[in-house]
Amino acid sequence: MKHLVRFIPPVHEIQKEPLFTVMQEEFSLDHTRLTNAVKSVLDDFRNSLLNGEWEGPDPREEDFKTYLFSKIRAKVESQFQFTLRKVINATGTIIHTNLGRARLSKRAVEHVMETACSYSNLEYKLAEGERGSRHSHVEALLKEITGAEAAMVVNNNAAAVYLVLRELARGKEVIVSRGELVEIGGSFRISSIMEESGVDLVEVGTTNKTHLYDYERALSENTGMIMKVHTSNFKVIGFTKSVPTEELARLAASLEDVIYYEDLGSGVLYDYGKHGIGNEPVVSAVLNKGADLVSFSGDKLLGGPQAGIIVGKKKFIDRLKKNQLARVVRVDKMTIAALEGTLIDYLRGEEGLKNIPVARAILISGEEMEKRSRAFAEKLKLTTDEFSVEVIESTSQVGGGTMPDVQLPSAAVVLKHKRLTAEQIARKLRNEYHTPIIVRIQKDEIVLDLRCVTDEEEDIILNALNNLS
């Protein structure tokens, strides 16, 4: 194939072609940008020929020019496509970190759209006609929902932890149970964040057991904080012991200038435990038990945008707001709008909770999932005979480093194609459709869990499965 390289037309000849001008006008491209796309395609052609990987027509043939411009068009179109795209989550994992974690509620999305497309009173008091604070838009809601004296929001919970430690305990000792020195996604460790913040970490207890006396023995003149980290992304079971919030809060309160801070991580504002789902500590309950400060994520169990939320005593929150780093980690107007929209639904109670996709997905019963799965399976059987279709009992995960011990009763549609392997189908569903569909594979079978799939998305999946080739 190497001898064919010399028949590839040079760039200047392609620039003279009428199709070059047509494409330039169609995509509103300047001459240089389109020329760069041409050069890239020609380089790919040459490399394929030199490596013996060429699959296109002979460069000497008449149809080569059509093939060439189709590749140039594809190159240009790919440059103008978003890389961050909507996908359909048919895995059954609700807070899927790889797929963007929490889906926002309709109210939150509408509020973001209106705020993004308009000017807003982000830092302006309408009644007084003077400068205001961006914290005010969600602080009142957070105080109402959690019972806190004050609140503020930063860009994620790691930033919240860092800011709390740096402002309130820098240069002092912070006591933490050894069993709570967790690692979160991307190899970020609580111990490393503490080190960066300038505090002295004092580990107490063992991996599986920590007692109150371990904390008491670790106290010194330089103790500035007792910190409890909720192990939201793993569970240690068996011969274990941890010290309850109220005991640590009492210990800190009995000391002079020692703060009790709890990093809840996953951030639960609603008690799923009353539905028999998990045993996650609710933010309001932790504050009621005496915590001075609590921080948590916005895009996990709360079901809102990525954010780090800090609630607690006003005297400490006020210090955090004045720290110079508060500007470094502050959130923008769209995050505030999304969070405000989400929190308003929480304020409405059980009825508002139905509007939050994460909460709604967690609370779907196994019976409802079986009903949906069977209806989907029947529709598929009516439209194609290329699959063997079965509905099985299954479980869904909450995901996102939350409720690691919870398996939600569910049902799934199991598919096996007559010709294609499960891996081939999964690849096609990801790459050959306008909206990529993400599925599970088990034992060379496609497993569809519809827990996080809307009615409209179900139709898209059905259409994709019917058009597999």
Side-chain angles (χ1 to χ4, degrees), residues 262-285:
E262 193 152 329
D263 170 22
L264 283 184
S266 51
V268 183
L269 297 182
Y270 176 78
D271 185 10
Y272 290 102
K274 63 186 179 182
H275 298 276
I277 301 172
N279 190 30
E280 290 289 305
V282 180
V283 175
S284 57

Side-chain angles (χ1 to χ4, degrees), residues 62-249:
E62 187 63 33
D63 61 347
F64 176 76
K65 189 184 298 182
T66 302
Y67 179 77
L68 169 61
F69 272 95
S70 73
K71 292 297 183 182
I72 295 171
R73 173 177 290 277
K75 173 68 73 173
V76 172
E77 287 177 342
S78 69
Q79 291 176 342
F80 289 94
Q81 283 183 344
F82 295 126
T83 58
L84 182 60
R85 298 168 61 190
K86 170 186 174 177
V87 302
I88 295 173
N89 176 12
T91 67
T93 300
I94 299 167
I95 309 170
H96 200 306
T97 298
N98 301 133
L99 304 184
R101 287 193 177 165
R103 285 187 300 160
L104 295 177
S105 69
K106 184 178 179 182
R107 181 191 303 278
V109 171
E110 289 173 349
H111 193 25
V112 170
M113 284 288 292
E114 183 179 51
T115 304
C117 295
S118 313
Y119 290 103
S120 65
N121 62 328
L122 177 65
E123 294 185 350
Y124 186 72
K125 296 178 181 179
L126 292 173
E128 295 84 353
E130 59 188 39
R131 181 168 184 158
S133 167
R134 66 181 58 204
H135 296 295
S136 65
H137 302 287
V138 294
E139 184 169 25
L141 289 166
L142 287 165
K143 287 164 62 178
E144 178 71 22
I145 294 166
T146 67
E149 292 179 9
M152 71 178 293
V153 180
V154 294
N155 56 15
N156 60 38
N157 192 48
V161 173
Y162 181 82
L163 181 62
V164 168
L165 293 173
R166 187 165 180 83
E167 169 60 30
L168 302 175
R170 181 169 51 162
K172 297 181 180 180
E173 294 175 351
V174 177
I175 305 173
V176 184
S177 167
R178 185 170 282 109
E180 296 172 0
L181 293 174
V182 301
E183 179 178 302
I184 58 178
S187 299
F188 290 95
R189 296 177 175 177
I190 287 292
S191 57
S192 299
I193 293 173
M194 295 178 76
E195 182 181 351
E196 291 289 339
S197 69
V199 306
D200 294 325
L201 167 63
V202 178
E203 299 178 35
V204 296
T206 63
T207 303
N208 61 318
K209 278 202 166 194
T210 304
H211 302 271
L212 183 62
Y213 59 73
D214 290 315
Y215 290 90
E216 292 171 335
R217 290 171 181 173
L219 293 170
S220 74
E221 293 180 354
N222 201 35
T223 299
M225 183 179 289
I226 296 172
M227 180 179 179
K228 186 176 181 66
V229 182
H230 177 50
T231 54
S232 58
N233 60 357
F234 72 96
K235 282 286 181 189
V236 178
I237 59 174
F239 192 58
T240 64
K241 165 72 177 175
S242 63
V243 183
T245 294
E246 50 267 41
E247 292 186 23
L248 291 178

Side-chain angles (χ1 to χ4, degrees), residues 272-338:
Y272 290 102
K274 63 186 179 182
H275 298 276
I277 301 172
N279 190 30
E280 290 289 305
V282 180
V283 175
S284 57
V286 174
L287 288 171
N288 285 337
K289 290 175 181 177
D292 295 314
L293 288 172
V294 175
S295 71
F296 51 97
S297 295
D299 60 346
K300 293 185 178 181
L301 290 173
L302 191 149
Q306 176 182 299
I309 301 167
I310 311 169
V311 295
K313 292 185 176 176
K314 188 176 185 302
K315 64 180 180 179
F316 299 129
I317 298 289
D318 285 347
R319 285 179 59 183
L320 296 175
K321 288 177 180 176
K322 292 175 183 175
N323 188 290
Q324 293 299 305
L325 285 172
R327 186 174 181 86
V328 176
V329 296
R330 78 177 184 178
V331 291
D332 71 339
K333 62 183 180 181
M334 287 176 283
T335 301
I336 290 172

Side-chain angles (χ1 to χ4, degrees), residues 343-394:
L343 292 173
I344 285 174
D345 278 327
Y346 273 101
L347 203 61
R348 294 175 185 272
E350 298 274 351
E351 205 57 38
L353 209 65
K354 296 176 183 177
N355 299 325
I356 301 172
V358 165
R360 194 167 60 238
I362 290 173
L363 294 172
I364 294 175
S365 67
E367 292 79 10
E368 176 63 22
M369 286 306 305
E370 182 178 4
K371 181 180 175 182
R372 285 187 62 189
S373 299
R374 292 199 180 281
F376 180 92
E378 289 305 313
K379 288 180 186 178
L380 184 61
K381 288 176 184 177
L382 289 172
T383 53
T384 180
D385 60 358
E386 291 292 306
F387 292 94
S388 65
V389 184
E390 182 185 3
V391 175
I392 63 168
E393 286 188 11
S394 181

Side-chain angles (χ1 to χ4, degrees), residues 1-62:
M1 291 184 178
K2 293 181 181 180
H3 69 284
L4 296 176
V5 172
R6 64 192 181 95
F7 294 105
I8 293 179
V11 173
H12 69 269
E13 284 189 14
I14 296 171
Q15 290 171 330
K16 294 175 184 177
E17 292 287 341
L19 278 174
F20 183 90
T21 304
V22 169
M23 201 174 293
Q24 193 175 352
E25 293 174 353
E26 180 183 346
F27 290 100
S28 301
L29 290 174
D30 61 43
H31 192 274
T32 301
R33 190 172 294 277
L34 184 54
T35 298
N36 289 339
V38 171
K39 290 177 179 178
S40 177
V41 169
L42 294 181
D43 285 343
D44 290 343
F45 281 9
R46 291 189 188 95
N47 290 333
S48 295
L49 287 167
L50 292 171
N51 295 329
E53 299 169 351
W54 179 251
E55 296 179 352
D58 190 315
R60 295 168 295 187
E61 301 296 330
E62 187 63 33

Side-chain angles (χ1 to χ4, degrees), residues 400-429:
T402 66
M403 296 189 183
D405 56 339
V406 171
Q407 297 292 321
L408 299 170
S410 191
V413 182
V414 179
L415 307 175
K416 193 169 182 67
H417 199 271
K418 289 181 178 178
R419 294 174 292 103
L420 301 172
T421 66
E423 183 55 50
Q424 288 172 324
I425 294 170
R427 189 181 304 116
K428 286 176 177 289
L429 292 175

